[in-house]
Amino acid sequence: MNAVAPLRLAILISGRGSNMTAIARACLNGEIAARTTIVIADRADAGGLSSAADLGIPTAVIQRSTTRDAAAFEAALAATLEAQRPDAIALAGFMRILSAAFVTRFLGRMFNIHPSLLPAYRGLHTHRRVLAARETQHGASVHFVTAELDGGPVVLQSRLAVVPADTELTLSARVQATEHIIYPQALAWFAQQRLAWRNGAPWFDGRPLTTPIVEDFHAPA
Ligand code: GRF
């Protein structure tokens, strides 16, 4: 058993929260030595809120309405997060761009998952763009969040082949299935302190992590 105390983990979502559910379940199963202390959504209609509640996880909604500017939204989000004393924060389909000041506050303990083999295909509609470019490989990336959008150091990637019959729907489903494996995996390493943030860079097993760890996933036969 790991002698280290369980991490306090906060998860931020905007949508259905399938990654959040995979991570929260992995915490409950003991696969990640962490406790999900809160799930925060920026939309009251985020489907993941009820999934979190079903798992017994406290939830909060911090909406960015027209009457609250970005700074007020971030201040409310930061206050809610700080109250949790989080050791780690997982952005899981959280569709807000966070300011450099906010990111700096949580630097080294905030992660994101992005549906591409970063640094390729930052931004939105990655599956569509990958198909349009006739790429042969695609995947997802878990990275530390820095002020550069989708630009923080990548820790772990899933890689899979794009097959001729793929549509945006089939490709996104296959990539998402891998997200539900690699995101809990990366957080488990962080909880075990195999993965760490030292002097502004990721470390793995006591060495600087200069290139991402890649896991290959094979298409179902
Ligand atoms: C995932 O595909 C993730 O890569 C991206 O947003 C999506 C979130 O899906 N950042 P879900 O809400 O976790 O189901």
Side-chain angles (χ1 to χ4, degrees), residues 54-129:
D54 288 347
L55 292 170
I57 299 165
T59 61
V61 176
I62 301 173
Q63 272 174 297
R64 182 172 164 193
S65 68
T66 44
T67 54
R68 296 167 90 189
D69 62 12
F73 168 77
E74 281 198 351
L77 183 59
T80 303
L81 276 173
E82 295 285 15
Q84 297 295 319
R85 295 175 285 108
D87 301 301
I89 299 165
L91 308 185
F94 187 65
M95 300 302 286
R96 295 280 165 200
I97 294 173
L98 299 165
S99 71
F102 186 96
V103 168
T104 302
R105 192 162 171 173
F106 299 104
L107 186 66
R109 54 182 163 138
M110 187 154 67
F111 295 85
N112 184 40
I113 186 142
H114 181 77
S116 78
L117 292 170
L118 289 172
Y121 299 99
R122 295 181 185 187
L124 297 174
H125 309 302
T126 58
H127 311 301
R128 191 184 307 169
R129 288 157 58 208

Side-chain angles (χ1 to χ4, degrees), residues 135-153:
E135 299 283 2
T136 55
Q137 291 190 322
H138 187 32
S141 304
V142 180
H143 64 93
F144 279 103
V145 175
T146 62
E148 193 183 348
L149 185 65
D150 299 331

